[in-house]
C-alpha cells in the first residue's frame, strides 16, 4: 500500500466529493458536460443556502472521519473529506459560493474549487484563497484562436489571457502560500496538437491534470486514442506533475453531486449520467446506495489512498 510520506510519516489523502453547484457558465465549450437532467423544475440548490447547508451536513455525517455508518469503511481509508466546488462556473454566484465555502469549512470539509477563473479578481481571491487547499483552474489553450474554436469565451467573445491568469495565481499564492495549484486541461479536437510547455511553464502548477474529452453528452470535439497519446507524449517533460485521465479512468471513480443534490455517475458505454434520488429527500446513505462508486477507481487516480486487502 502506497501512502504519501512526509518526514517518514504516512499521510493519507482526503476523500474527495465533487459538488457541481451549477450548470451555468459564462463560457460555451462545445464539449461541456455540465448539463444535468432535472426530473422536475427545481432550482439549483445553491440558491437556497439553508438546504445547501443541510446537504453538506448530510454528506459529512455519512463520509466524515468519525461517521459511524460510513459506507466506505472497510473499502478504503482516507484522512478527512475534501469538498470540491465545480460547475458550470461556480463563481458566477460569487457571494453564494464564498458563503457556502465558509459553511463547509465550519462543518469540517477541506475545500477546493474548479473554476475558469474569469470571475476571480483580487477581491474574491482575498476571501477565497485562505480557505482553499487546492485552486483548480481549467486551461484548454494558451491560444486565443483555439479558445474561440473550443467555445471558451464569454458572450462578448472575451477569454482570460494567460497573463491575467498568471496574475490571479500569483495573488492566490501570495495570500495563501500553502495553496496547491492544479491546472485541468481537456484534450480535444482543437488543442491536441498544441504545445502547452510555455503555458504550463508560466503557471507552474503543482499538478497538471490532462483529461481526454469525455463524450458524456455529445461527441463534439472527440479525439482518437493515438491523438490523446501524442498529446501526453509531447508533454513528457511534465510527467512529474501530470496526471493523465483517459475516458475509462473517469467512469465510477469520482464521487459527484449534481446541482439538484443528487449523486450521479458517468454511464458506462453510452453518453449521459445515472442519478440517485435527491439526497435531501431520501438521505445520503440511501442515495449513495443508488449509484456505483468504485473505490479502486478512485484510488487509481489518488494512488496514495489506502485500500484494505480483500480476502
Ligand atoms: S468553462 Fe467548463 S463549465 Fe464552462 S462551458 Fe467550458 S467546460 Fe463547461
Amino acid at each position: 500500500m502506497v501512502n504519501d510520506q512526509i518526514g517518514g510519516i504516512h499521510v493519507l489523502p482526503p476523500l474527495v466529493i465533487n459538488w457541481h453547484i451549477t450548470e451555468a457558465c459564462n463560457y460555451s465549450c462545445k464539449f461541456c458536460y455540465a448539463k444535468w437532467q432535472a426530473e422536475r423544475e427545481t432550482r439549483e440548490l445553491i440558491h437556497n443556502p439553508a438546504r445547501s447547508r443541510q446537504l453538506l451536513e448530510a454528506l459529512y455525517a455519512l463520509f466524515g472521519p468519525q461517521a459511524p455508518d460510513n459506507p466506505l469503511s472497510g473499502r478504503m481509508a482516507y484522512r478527512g473529506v475534501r469538498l470540491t466546488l465545480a460547475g458550470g462556473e461556480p463563481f458566477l454566484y460569487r457571494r453564494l459560493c464564498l458563503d457556502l465555502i465558509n459553511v463547509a469549512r465550519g462543518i469540517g470539509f477541506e475545500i477546493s474549487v474548479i473554476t475558469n477563473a474569469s470571475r476571480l479578481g483580487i477581491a474574491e481571491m482575498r476571501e477565497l484563497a485562505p480557505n482553499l487547499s487546492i485552486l483548480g483552474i481549467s486551461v484548454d489553450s494558451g491560444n486565443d484562436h483555439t479558445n474561440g474554436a473550443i467555445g471558451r469565451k464569454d458572450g462578448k467573445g472575451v477569454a482570460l489571457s494567460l497573463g491575467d491568469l498568471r496574475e490571479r495565481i500569483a495573488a492566490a499564492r501570495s495570500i495563501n502560500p500553502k495553496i496547491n495549484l492544479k491546472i485541468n486541461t481537456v484534450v480535444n479536437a482543437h488543442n491536441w496538437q498544441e504545445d502547452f510547455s510555455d503555458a504550463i511553464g508560466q503557471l507552474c502548477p503543482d499538478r497538471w491534470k490532462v483529461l481526454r474529452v469525455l463524450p458524456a453528452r455529445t461527441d463534439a470535439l472527440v479525439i482518437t486514442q493515438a491523438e490523446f497519446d501524442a498529446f501526453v507524449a509531447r508533454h513528457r517533460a511534465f510527467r512529474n506533475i501530470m496526471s493523465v485521465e483517459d475516458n475509462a479512468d473517469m467512469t465510477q471513480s469520482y464521487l459527484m453531486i449534481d446541482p439538484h443534490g443528487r449523486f450521479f455517475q458517468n454511464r458506462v458505454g453510452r453518453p449521459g449520467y445515472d442519478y440517485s434520488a435527491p439526497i435531501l429527500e431520501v438521505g445520503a446513505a440511501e442515495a449513495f446506495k443508488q449509484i456505483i462508486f468504485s473505490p479502486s477507481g478512485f484510488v487509481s487516480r489518488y494512488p496514495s489512498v489506502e485500500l484494505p486487502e480483500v480476502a
Side-chain angles (χ1 to χ4, degrees):
M1 210 56 57
V2 184
N3 294 329
D4 288 341
Q5 223 173 344
I6 299 175
I9 300 168
H10 292 288
V11 181
L12 290 173
L15 176 71
V16 183
I17 299 177
N18 300 277
W19 184 12
H20 295 258
I21 59 172
T22 182
E23 62 177 57
C25 187
N26 53 334
Y27 290 171
S28 313
C29 303
K30 290 173 186 154
F31 54 74
C32 183
Y33 54 81
K35 306 281 177 228
W36 294 272
Q37 292 164 347
E39 278 173 9
R40 48 195 114 106
E41 286 304 310
T42 47
R43 265 199 111 189
E44 294 177 339
L45 221 48
I46 182 69
H47 298 286
N48 186 328
R51 288 182 57 80
S52 296
R53 174 191 283 272
Q54 282 172 19
L55 178 77
L56 295 184
E57 286 172 345
L59 291 169
Y60 203 78
L62 188 64
F63 295 115
Q66 312 299 331
D69 301 315
N70 187 336
L72 296 174
S73 293
R75 297 174 69 196
M76 57 191 286
Y78 52 84
R79 151 193 71 83
V81 186
R82 190 169 75 228
L83 177 72
T84 298
L85 295 181
E89 171 47 45
F91 292 98
L92 287 190
Y93 304 120
R94 170 187 173 280
R95 188 69 263 153
L96 288 167
C97 192
L98 290 169
D99 288 348
L100 187 67
I101 286 169
N102 283 327
V103 166
R105 286 269 285 168
I107 291 171
F109 290 99
E110 291 178 37
I111 306 293
S112 61
V113 294
I114 303 286
T115 169
N116 62 32
S118 61
R119 298 294 177 97
L120 285 181
I122 297 297
E124 288 78 23
M125 212 51 107
R126 276 204 199 96
E127 204 170 335
L128 175 67
N131 283 319
L132 287 186
S133 310
I134 299 176
L135 172 61
I137 299 179
S138 55
V139 177
D140 291 342
S141 181
N143 177 299
D144 195 54
H145 177 74
T146 305
N147 276 322
I150 293 171
R152 273 188 76 86
K153 292 205 168 182
D154 68 16
K156 294 180 181 152
V158 177
L160 202 61
S161 72
L162 216 49
D164 286 342
L165 190 52
R166 215 175 40 229
E167 276 178 21
R168 288 168 200 209
I169 289 168
R173 282 177 158 152
S174 82
I175 294 163
N176 178 0
K178 288 189 181 158
I179 209 165
N180 258 270
L181 175 69
K182 181 173 72 162
I183 298 295
N184 282 2
T185 298
V186 176
V187 185
N188 63 76
H190 289 307
N191 68 0
W192 73 271
Q193 297 183 78
E194 186 171 332
D195 186 344
F196 274 64
S197 303
D198 180 51
I200 296 301
Q202 285 190 48
L203 303 178
C204 291
D206 298 282
R207 189 168 164 224
W208 181 25
K209 196 163 170 180
V210 172
L211 306 114
R212 181 171 166 189
V213 65
L214 182 68
R217 287 183 54 253
T218 151
D219 285 344
L221 309 194
V222 292
I223 54 171
T224 65
Q225 185 69 51
E227 289 166 343
F228 184 64
D229 292 346
F231 182 95
V232 173
R234 188 177 318 120
H235 298 99
R236 59 184 160 274
F238 296 100
R239 61 186 169 279
N240 289 346
I241 59 164
M242 192 173 12
S243 60
V244 176
E245 288 188 22
D246 209 334
N247 292 354
D249 304 318
M250 293 179 235
T251 302
Q252 298 172 355
S253 66
Y254 283 86
L255 205 43
M256 301 184 290
I257 296 170
D258 81 348
H260 302 281
R262 303 171 295 182
F263 289 111
F264 73 96
Q265 278 299 0
N266 300 318
R267 282 194 188 130
V268 180
R270 64 201 163 105
Y273 301 128
D274 292 321
Y275 300 91
S276 75
I279 292 167
L280 289 181
E281 284 182 16
V282 300
E286 180 55 34
F288 182 66
K289 284 184 202 156
Q290 297 173 359
I291 51 126
I292 299 172
F293 171 67
S294 161
S296 57
F298 180 90
V299 167
S300 66
R301 291 189 299 104
Y302 298 88
S304 48
V305 178
E306 196 173 73
L307 273 178
E309 300 297 331
V310 177

